[in-house]
Short mmCIF file of all heavy atoms in Angstrom, two decimals:
data_model
loop_
_atom_site.label_atom_id
_atom_site.label_comp_id
_atom_site.label_asym_id
_atom_site.label_seq_id
_atom_site.Cartn_x
_atom_site.Cartn_y
_atom_site.Cartn_z
N LEU A 1 1.61 6.10 -29.25
CA LEU A 1 2.39 6.02 -28.00
C LEU A 1 3.77 5.47 -28.26
O LEU A 1 3.93 4.39 -28.80
CB LEU A 1 1.65 5.10 -27.01
CG LEU A 1 2.30 4.92 -25.64
CD1 LEU A 1 2.34 6.24 -24.92
CD2 LEU A 1 1.53 3.87 -24.84
N GLY A 2 4.77 6.22 -27.90
CA GLY A 2 6.15 5.79 -28.05
C GLY A 2 6.77 6.22 -29.37
O GLY A 2 7.98 6.34 -29.46
N MET A 3 6.01 6.45 -30.39
CA MET A 3 6.54 6.81 -31.71
C MET A 3 7.23 8.16 -31.68
O MET A 3 8.34 8.33 -32.16
CB MET A 3 5.46 6.80 -32.77
CG MET A 3 4.96 5.43 -33.15
SD MET A 3 3.80 5.56 -34.53
CE MET A 3 3.34 3.86 -34.73
N ASP A 4 6.54 9.14 -31.12
CA ASP A 4 7.08 10.49 -31.11
C ASP A 4 8.38 10.56 -30.33
O ASP A 4 9.33 11.25 -30.72
CB ASP A 4 6.07 11.48 -30.53
CG ASP A 4 4.86 11.71 -31.43
OD1 ASP A 4 5.00 11.42 -32.64
OD2 ASP A 4 3.83 12.18 -30.95
N ALA A 5 8.43 9.84 -29.21
CA ALA A 5 9.64 9.87 -28.39
C ALA A 5 10.81 9.24 -29.15
O ALA A 5 11.94 9.74 -29.09
CB ALA A 5 9.39 9.10 -27.08
N GLN A 6 10.56 8.15 -29.85
CA GLN A 6 11.61 7.49 -30.62
C GLN A 6 12.06 8.39 -31.76
O GLN A 6 13.27 8.55 -32.02
CB GLN A 6 11.10 6.17 -31.20
CG GLN A 6 10.89 5.09 -30.14
CD GLN A 6 10.38 3.78 -30.75
OE1 GLN A 6 11.01 3.22 -31.65
NE2 GLN A 6 9.23 3.31 -30.32
N ARG A 7 11.09 8.99 -32.47
CA ARG A 7 11.43 9.86 -33.59
C ARG A 7 12.27 11.05 -33.12
O ARG A 7 13.25 11.43 -33.76
CB ARG A 7 10.17 10.33 -34.27
CG ARG A 7 10.43 11.19 -35.51
CD ARG A 7 9.15 11.57 -36.22
NE ARG A 7 8.53 10.41 -36.85
CZ ARG A 7 7.41 9.82 -36.37
NH1 ARG A 7 6.86 10.29 -35.26
NH2 ARG A 7 6.91 8.80 -36.99
N ASP A 8 11.86 11.62 -31.97
CA ASP A 8 12.58 12.78 -31.44
C ASP A 8 14.01 12.40 -31.06
O ASP A 8 14.95 13.15 -31.35
CB ASP A 8 11.84 13.33 -30.22
CG ASP A 8 12.55 14.53 -29.62
OD1 ASP A 8 12.63 15.56 -30.32
OD2 ASP A 8 12.98 14.46 -28.45
N ALA A 9 14.17 11.24 -30.42
CA ALA A 9 15.52 10.79 -30.02
C ALA A 9 16.41 10.59 -31.24
O ALA A 9 17.60 10.96 -31.23
CB ALA A 9 15.42 9.51 -29.21
N ILE A 10 15.85 9.98 -32.28
CA ILE A 10 16.65 9.73 -33.49
C ILE A 10 17.01 11.03 -34.18
O ILE A 10 18.15 11.21 -34.63
CB ILE A 10 15.84 8.80 -34.45
CG1 ILE A 10 15.72 7.39 -33.86
CG2 ILE A 10 16.52 8.76 -35.84
CD1 ILE A 10 14.79 6.48 -34.65
N GLU A 11 16.06 11.96 -34.27
CA GLU A 11 16.33 13.23 -34.95
C GLU A 11 17.39 14.03 -34.19
O GLU A 11 18.25 14.66 -34.80
CB GLU A 11 15.03 14.01 -35.08
CG GLU A 11 14.07 13.41 -36.11
CD GLU A 11 12.75 14.18 -36.18
OE1 GLU A 11 12.53 15.07 -35.33
OE2 GLU A 11 11.94 13.87 -37.09
N ARG A 12 17.30 14.04 -32.85
CA ARG A 12 18.31 14.78 -32.07
C ARG A 12 19.69 14.15 -32.25
O ARG A 12 20.69 14.85 -32.36
CB ARG A 12 17.93 14.78 -30.59
CG ARG A 12 16.79 15.75 -30.24
CD ARG A 12 16.67 15.87 -28.74
NE ARG A 12 16.22 14.63 -28.14
CZ ARG A 12 16.23 14.37 -26.83
NH1 ARG A 12 16.73 15.28 -25.98
NH2 ARG A 12 15.79 13.23 -26.36
N PHE A 13 19.73 12.84 -32.26
CA PHE A 13 20.99 12.11 -32.42
C PHE A 13 21.57 12.43 -33.80
O PHE A 13 22.78 12.75 -33.93
CB PHE A 13 20.76 10.63 -32.26
CG PHE A 13 21.94 9.77 -32.64
CD1 PHE A 13 23.03 9.61 -31.81
CD2 PHE A 13 21.97 9.13 -33.88
CE1 PHE A 13 24.12 8.83 -32.16
CE2 PHE A 13 23.05 8.35 -34.25
CZ PHE A 13 24.12 8.19 -33.39
N ALA A 14 20.75 12.32 -34.84
CA ALA A 14 21.22 12.54 -36.20
C ALA A 14 21.72 13.99 -36.37
O ALA A 14 22.75 14.22 -37.00
CB ALA A 14 20.07 12.26 -37.20
N SER A 15 21.01 14.93 -35.81
CA SER A 15 21.41 16.32 -35.90
C SER A 15 22.75 16.57 -35.21
O SER A 15 23.64 17.26 -35.75
CB SER A 15 20.34 17.23 -35.24
OG SER A 15 20.75 18.60 -35.24
N ALA A 16 22.94 15.97 -34.04
CA ALA A 16 24.18 16.13 -33.30
C ALA A 16 25.35 15.48 -34.03
O ALA A 16 26.51 15.97 -33.92
CB ALA A 16 24.05 15.52 -31.91
N GLU A 17 25.09 14.42 -34.78
CA GLU A 17 26.17 13.69 -35.46
C GLU A 17 26.34 14.11 -36.93
O GLU A 17 27.18 13.55 -37.64
CB GLU A 17 25.91 12.18 -35.38
CG GLU A 17 25.89 11.61 -33.98
CD GLU A 17 27.22 11.72 -33.26
OE1 GLU A 17 28.25 11.77 -33.99
OE2 GLU A 17 27.24 11.75 -32.04
N GLY A 18 25.51 15.06 -37.39
CA GLY A 18 25.62 15.50 -38.77
C GLY A 18 25.19 14.46 -39.79
O GLY A 18 25.79 14.26 -40.83
N ILE A 19 24.09 13.74 -39.44
CA ILE A 19 23.57 12.68 -40.29
C ILE A 19 22.25 13.08 -40.88
O ILE A 19 21.39 13.63 -40.17
CB ILE A 19 23.40 11.35 -39.50
CG1 ILE A 19 24.75 10.90 -38.93
CG2 ILE A 19 22.77 10.27 -40.35
CD1 ILE A 19 24.63 9.70 -37.99
N GLU A 20 22.02 12.82 -42.16
CA GLU A 20 20.75 13.12 -42.82
C GLU A 20 19.90 11.85 -42.84
O GLU A 20 20.33 10.82 -43.33
CB GLU A 20 20.99 13.59 -44.26
CG GLU A 20 19.68 13.84 -45.03
CD GLU A 20 19.90 14.11 -46.48
OE1 GLU A 20 21.09 14.16 -46.93
OE2 GLU A 20 18.91 14.28 -47.22
N ILE A 21 18.69 11.95 -42.31
CA ILE A 21 17.75 10.82 -42.34
C ILE A 21 17.00 10.89 -43.67
O ILE A 21 16.21 11.79 -43.94
CB ILE A 21 16.74 10.88 -41.18
CG1 ILE A 21 17.47 10.89 -39.85
CG2 ILE A 21 15.76 9.71 -41.26
CD1 ILE A 21 18.24 9.64 -39.55
N VAL A 22 17.24 9.90 -44.54
CA VAL A 22 16.62 9.93 -45.86
C VAL A 22 15.30 9.21 -45.90
O VAL A 22 14.48 9.39 -46.83
CB VAL A 22 17.58 9.31 -46.93
CG1 VAL A 22 18.87 10.09 -46.98
CG2 VAL A 22 17.87 7.85 -46.61
N ALA A 23 15.03 8.33 -44.92
CA ALA A 23 13.76 7.60 -44.89
C ALA A 23 13.53 7.11 -43.47
O ALA A 23 14.48 6.78 -42.77
CB ALA A 23 13.78 6.42 -45.87
N THR A 24 12.26 7.06 -43.11
CA THR A 24 11.89 6.54 -41.79
C THR A 24 10.87 5.43 -41.96
O THR A 24 9.87 5.59 -42.67
CB THR A 24 11.28 7.66 -40.91
OG1 THR A 24 12.25 8.68 -40.73
CG2 THR A 24 10.85 7.11 -39.55
N PHE A 25 11.11 4.30 -41.33
CA PHE A 25 10.20 3.16 -41.42
C PHE A 25 9.66 2.87 -40.03
O PHE A 25 10.42 2.72 -39.07
CB PHE A 25 10.94 1.93 -41.96
CG PHE A 25 11.45 2.13 -43.37
CD1 PHE A 25 12.72 2.66 -43.57
CD2 PHE A 25 10.68 1.81 -44.45
CE1 PHE A 25 13.20 2.87 -44.87
CE2 PHE A 25 11.13 2.00 -45.74
CZ PHE A 25 12.38 2.55 -45.94
N THR A 26 8.34 2.78 -39.95
CA THR A 26 7.68 2.57 -38.65
C THR A 26 6.97 1.24 -38.65
O THR A 26 6.13 0.95 -39.53
CB THR A 26 6.66 3.68 -38.40
OG1 THR A 26 7.33 4.95 -38.38
CG2 THR A 26 5.98 3.49 -37.04
N GLU A 27 7.30 0.40 -37.69
CA GLU A 27 6.72 -0.94 -37.56
C GLU A 27 5.71 -0.97 -36.42
O GLU A 27 6.00 -0.49 -35.32
CB GLU A 27 7.86 -1.93 -37.23
CG GLU A 27 7.50 -3.37 -37.48
CD GLU A 27 7.92 -3.81 -38.88
OE1 GLU A 27 9.14 -3.91 -39.12
OE2 GLU A 27 7.05 -4.04 -39.73
N ILE A 28 4.55 -1.52 -36.70
CA ILE A 28 3.53 -1.72 -35.66
C ILE A 28 3.26 -3.22 -35.61
O ILE A 28 2.72 -3.79 -36.54
CB ILE A 28 2.24 -0.96 -35.95
CG1 ILE A 28 2.53 0.53 -36.10
CG2 ILE A 28 1.20 -1.19 -34.86
CD1 ILE A 28 1.34 1.35 -36.56
N GLU A 29 3.69 -3.86 -34.52
CA GLU A 29 3.55 -5.32 -34.44
C GLU A 29 2.76 -5.69 -33.20
O GLU A 29 2.73 -4.98 -32.19
CB GLU A 29 4.92 -5.97 -34.42
CG GLU A 29 5.78 -5.52 -33.25
CD GLU A 29 7.03 -6.38 -33.14
OE1 GLU A 29 7.17 -7.29 -33.92
OE2 GLU A 29 7.84 -6.09 -32.26
N THR A 30 2.13 -6.83 -33.26
CA THR A 30 1.30 -7.29 -32.16
C THR A 30 2.11 -8.01 -31.08
O THR A 30 1.64 -8.22 -29.97
CB THR A 30 0.23 -8.27 -32.66
OG1 THR A 30 0.88 -9.42 -33.23
CG2 THR A 30 -0.63 -7.61 -33.70
N GLY A 31 3.33 -8.41 -31.41
CA GLY A 31 4.15 -9.12 -30.44
C GLY A 31 4.34 -10.58 -30.84
O GLY A 31 5.33 -11.17 -30.56
N LYS A 32 3.37 -11.17 -31.51
CA LYS A 32 3.47 -12.57 -31.96
C LYS A 32 4.46 -12.67 -33.09
O LYS A 32 4.35 -11.99 -34.11
CB LYS A 32 2.11 -13.08 -32.41
CG LYS A 32 2.12 -14.55 -32.83
CD LYS A 32 0.75 -15.02 -33.22
CE LYS A 32 0.75 -16.48 -33.60
NZ LYS A 32 -0.59 -16.96 -34.03
#
């Protein structure tokens, strides 16, 4: 939940700005 939306937003932004994403880091935290 939420990951795909974030990934899609970043990819669209990078494509529009001519940026290559070389690595993606995903954090899953409990909040504490």
